[in-house]
Amino acid sequence: MKFLVCISNVPDTTTKITFTPDNKEFNKAGVQFVINPWDEYALTRAIELKEAQGSGTVTVLNVGEADTEPNIRKALAIGADDAIRVNAAPKDAYFVAQQIAAIAKEGAYDVILMGKESIDYNGFQVHGMVGEMLGIPTVAPAMKLDMSGSTATLEREIEGGKEIVEVNTPFVASCQQPMCEPRIPNMRGIMTARTKPLKVVEPVGEGARTEVAEYALPPKKQGVKLIPAESAGDLIKLLRNEAKVI
Amino acid sequence: MSVLVVVECDNGEVKKSSLEVASYGSQVAQMLGTTATAVAVGEATEANLAKLGEQGISKVLYDAEPRLKDFVNGAYTKLIAAAAGKEDSKIIVLANSNIGASVGSRLSVRLQASLATNVVELPKANGSSFTVKRGAFSGKAFADVVLSGDRKIIAVKKNSIEALHEAGKTATVEAFSASLSDADFTDAPKQVVMQDQAGGILLPEADKVVSGGRGMKGPENWGLIEDLAKALGAATACSKPVSDVDWRPHHEHVGQTGITVSPNLYIACGISGAIQHLAGVNSSKVIVVINKDPEAPFFKAADYGIVGDVFEVLPKLTQAVKELG
């Protein structure tokens, strides 16, 4: 079975977010980039399923410029077999989805996995766009994925519960916890990752459909009003009479 | 053309987030000098759908096909696309929910529309330019996004828009069929399992949240969190370390890699306030922090704080809420 795992290159979760002086772009200076945490579930689960099946391949796909290659190598070190990088900045979800759909179609992948969303743009869009472009089902967000032959059983999170869904390959799923325990690279993985194939291709399709005009940071808080622990009950009065939220 | 609003229903009731979405859609319609039509999905009653008039909706389309009671991605997408065609809608507004995002992303390709999710404010329309403000970087920032193109889909973040309530106004409810066939239901769920919700309040929909961190010392102490939540009519939540060690289920995990909430009131108990947690809560209107460490970074992001032991403070708060009556 052929797995395609889509990863994005995002600022580490501890990053303090700042922007370029015109507020049009994220300021990358001094920022550590990581594999999007949600994508780690997709990657590890694909590797686990391949191992359980005893055959198949896991290909990792990233839409990004050359500076994303360290994290692509990391995905190879974790256990993907080969990688494809589409040589373009990820302009918007639609642009990225077109690249994934084109590669998924050309490579006839059976299972296309990605994280629920990227922690930078938080679009939660690419999964459905790829599914629609390929005319195949999408399950988002998936908390559990098991395969039996060409049939997958997934748990989809819905507000207040979950749905058990069965789909046949090919399909797209966007993954989140508690699907698996994401793996970290071991020394042997890091050594072998250096020689695994990483193919660079140029982007296809139309451009983006959305454009960021300006980024802004949330307004700063005015400062905390402290209430002595002994008179904790006064907080409730303040929440009712001053903040008017209860 | 009218603005099309997707309204999610459950057990006959329109979800709170969908009342917000309906209010958003009707205000966009007003800006554009047109009307707002809703298409309802899930299990609805005609009486509750007619009440969407209070949120400014003129007409509600409802397909009573029983298999639409549960979320089916293929069928919902086709139904909404058909409703958009019937109403000649160039703008579709839905909730930034798991259903809304699943359907909205497919629709954007099918209808060749620009899509913005996680939207927190009404759009700015200026001539041909159409800009929406959305949350980005997991709550650490906002982005003004220009939606180019003729058709637009907007997924509205929960608790970002105040629902309108114009008492007495009703919407016309119209039977609508998208002529769905078995092929549209191939990804129908085999089974739907609902969680036991404390007090029946869903965290993503809640306007008050009481949340616990490692400072609660163990799952056996969660009764203190639940008591306060119950008294306030709030949902319960937790920090990532708490769900990582299985003290609480992961669907209660609030933060950058959990869920992002924006309630009116967020009470954090024994949570230090790591940057990843703050990202998930900093769009809450009022934040209360209770922590015995006065240096806890969460106090910098709080409106009210109590430096003290959660085990002593929480029962006092619960008592004070009960005394309010």
Side-chain angles (χ1 to χ4, degrees), chain A residues 13 15 38 119-123 132 136 138 157 159-160 162 164 209 211 213-214 216 221 225 227 242, chain B residues 71 98 106 110 114 117 134 137-138 140 142 144 146 148 190-191 193 195 256-257 276 303-305:
Chain A
T13 57
T15 306
W38 301 102
I119 61 164
D120 51 359
Y121 198 70
N122 305 112
E132 185 70 18
I136 60 177
T138 312
E157 183 174 61
E159 280 77 7
K162 61 188 178 189
I164 317 294
R209 281 184 180 163
E211 191 193 344
E214 191 174 27
K221 287 278 182 189
K225 187 178 235 177
I227 293 104
E242 186 178 87
Chain B
F71 173 54
N98 288 343
R106 292 196 84 102
R110 196 170 300 183
S114 300
T117 51
R134 67 184 298 278
F137 293 94
S138 306
K140 291 177 186 172
F142 294 101
D144 280 342
V146 179
S148 50
K190 299 285 171 240
Q191 196 190 344
V193 186
Q195 300 143 8
Q256 193 161 11
T257 53
Q276 297 97 325
D303 299 282
Y304 297 98

Side-chain angles (χ1 to χ4, degrees), chain B residues 208 225-234 317-322 325:
Chain B
K208 297 186 215 57
I225 299 275
E226 284 161 356
D227 288 347
L228 178 59
K230 201 172 165 205
L232 283 168
L317 296 181
T318 305
Q319 186 57 33
V321 174
K322 286 181 179 160

Side-chain angles (χ1 to χ4, degrees), chain A residues 11-17 19 26 37-38 41 94 116-133 135-141 143 156-167 176-178 206 208-219 221-240 242-243 245-246, chain B residues 8 15 70-73 77 97-99 101-102 105-106 108-110 112-118 134-148 158 186-195 197 202 204 208 228 232 250-251 253 256-259 264-265 267 275-276 282 284-288 299-308 313 316-317 320-321 324-325:
Chain A
D12 180 80
T13 57
T14 57
T15 306
K16 190 163 186 259
I17 303 297
F19 301 105
F26 171 65
W38 301 102
Y41 295 98
Y94 180 69
K116 178 192 169 188
E117 64 184 7
S118 68
I119 61 164
D120 51 359
Y121 198 70
N122 305 112
F124 193 23
Q125 304 176 357
V126 173
H127 53 90
M129 291 180 172
V130 172
E132 185 70 18
M133 286 169 185
I136 60 177
T138 312
V139 181
M143 301 190 288
R156 181 208 328 260
E157 183 174 61
I158 52 174
E159 280 77 7
K162 61 188 178 189
E163 289 185 351
I164 317 294
V165 187
E166 263 179 33
V167 292
Q176 67 168 47
Q177 72 274 39
E206 310 157 33
R209 281 184 180 163
T210 62
E211 191 193 344
V212 174
E214 191 174 27
Y215 284 107
L217 295 172
K221 287 278 182 189
Q222 298 297 312
V224 60
K225 187 178 235 177
L226 288 175
I227 293 104
E230 309 77 66
S231 47
D234 290 351
L235 169 69
I236 298 301
K237 288 177 199 135
L238 287 168
L239 291 176
R240 169 159 287 187
E242 186 178 87
V245 287
I246 59 172
Chain B
E8 296 175 25
K15 290 184 187 170
D70 295 320
F71 173 54
V72 186
N73 206 342
T77 307
S97 60
N98 288 343
I99 292 177
S102 294
S105 53
R106 292 196 84 102
S108 72
V109 171
R110 196 170 300 183
Q112 300 183 309
S114 300
L115 171 63
T117 51
N118 217 10
R134 67 184 298 278
F137 293 94
S138 306
K140 291 177 186 172
F142 294 101
D144 280 342
V145 178
V146 179
L147 302 184
S148 50
K158 290 165 193 175
T186 49
D187 59 342
K190 299 285 171 240
Q191 196 190 344
V192 179
V193 186
M194 298 312 283
Q195 300 143 8
Q197 291 294 326
L202 291 177
K208 297 186 215 57
L228 178 59
L232 283 168
H250 87 88
H251 62 79
H253 158 204
Q256 193 161 11
T257 53
I259 69 166
N264 290 329
L265 176 61
I267 303 182
I275 190 167
Q276 297 97 325
N282 67 7
S284 307
K285 289 189 183 73
V286 173
I287 294 178
V288 174
F299 283 114
K300 289 201 177 70
D303 299 282
Y304 297 98
I306 295 178
V307 179
V313 171
K316 286 187 189 166
L317 296 181
V321 174
L324 280 181

Side-chain angles (χ1 to χ4, degrees), chain A residues 77-90:
Chain A
I78 290 169
D81 299 291
D82 62 339
I84 302 170
R85 179 172 68 82
V86 177
N87 186 29

Side-chain angles (χ1 to χ4, degrees), chain B:
Chain B
M1 67 137 240
S2 31
V3 171
L4 186 70
V5 170
V6 179
V7 168
E8 296 175 25
C9 304
D10 202 7
N11 288 322
E13 304 273 340
V14 177
K15 290 184 187 170
K16 176 176 167 277
S17 52
S18 286
L19 297 178
E20 294 161 7
V21 165
S23 306
Y24 188 102
S26 69
Q27 289 175 82
V28 173
Q30 202 169 27
M31 282 168 62
L32 303 175
T34 179
T35 54
T37 300
V39 56
V41 293
E43 190 180 11
T45 65
E46 201 172 319
N48 282 334
L49 293 179
K51 276 204 326 214
L52 283 164
E54 296 184 6
Q55 283 76 45
I57 300 295
S58 318
K59 182 168 76 177
V60 185
L61 305 174
Y62 183 51
D63 187 338
E65 154 73 53
R67 287 180 292 179
L68 289 170
K69 181 175 158 284
D70 295 320
F71 173 54
V72 186
N73 206 342
Y76 276 32
T77 307
K78 192 169 172 185
L79 175 81
I80 297 160
K86 179 180 183 298
E87 295 296 309
D88 190 25
S89 299
K90 300 284 192 287
I91 297 179
I92 302 176
V93 186
L94 28 73
N96 196 53
S97 60
N98 288 343
I99 292 177
S102 294
V103 174
S105 53
R106 292 196 84 102
L107 279 174
S108 72
V109 171
R110 196 170 300 183
L111 304 177
Q112 300 183 309
S114 300
L115 171 63
T117 51
N118 217 10
V119 170
V120 296
E121 270 179 16
L122 287 168
K124 292 185 213 64
N126 192 349
S128 61
S129 113
F130 192 95
T131 308
V132 289
K133 186 175 181 179
R134 67 184 298 278
F137 293 94
S138 306
K140 291 177 186 172
F142 294 101
D144 280 342
V145 178
V146 179
L147 302 184
S148 50
D150 196 27
R151 290 166 187 263
K152 298 158 182 78
I153 302 177
I154 300 169
V156 181
K157 187 178 174 184
K158 290 165 193 175
N159 277 324
S160 309
I161 301 292
E162 191 94 23
L164 304 172
H165 285 285
E166 295 176 46
K169 284 180 75 179
T170 55
T172 336
V173 181
E174 197 177 298
F176 174 67
S177 168
S179 311
L180 299 170
S181 67
D182 288 350
D184 301 312
F185 289 91
T186 49
D187 59 342
K190 299 285 171 240
Q191 196 190 344
V192 179
V193 186
M194 298 312 283
Q195 300 143 8
D196 267 346
Q197 291 294 326
I201 294 154
L202 291 177
L203 178 58
E205 302 259 327
D207 64 1
K208 297 186 215 57
V209 175
V210 183
S211 188
R214 265 184 304 197
M216 293 305 297
K217 298 210 164 82
E220 66 279 9
N221 298 322
W222 237 258
L224 293 172
I225 299 275
E226 284 161 356
D227 288 347
L228 178 59
K230 201 172 165 205
L232 283 168
T236 57
C238 68
S239 65
K240 184 169 190 289
V242 164
S243 71
D244 280 352
V245 295
D246 286 332
W247 290 359
R248 301 296 295 173
H250 87 88
H251 62 79
E252 285 199 358
H253 158 204
V254 165
Q256 193 161 11
T257 53
I259 69 166
T260 309
V261 295
S262 46
N264 290 329
L265 176 61
Y266 185 84
I267 303 182
C269 312
I271 304 177
S272 63
I275 190 167
Q276 297 97 325
H277 186 78
L278 296 183
V281 306
N282 67 7
S283 53
S284 307
K285 289 189 183 73
V286 173
I287 294 178
V288 174
V289 171
I290 304 161
N291 204 302
K292 67 178 178 200
D293 175 10
E295 301 299 320
F298 216 151
F299 283 114
K300 289 201 177 70
D303 299 282
Y304 297 98
I306 295 178
V307 179
D309 184 348
V310 285
F311 296 95
E312 287 163 21
V313 171
L314 278 171
K316 286 187 189 166
L317 296 181
T318 305
Q319 186 57 33
V321 174
K322 286 181 179 160
E323 283 166 8
L324 280 181

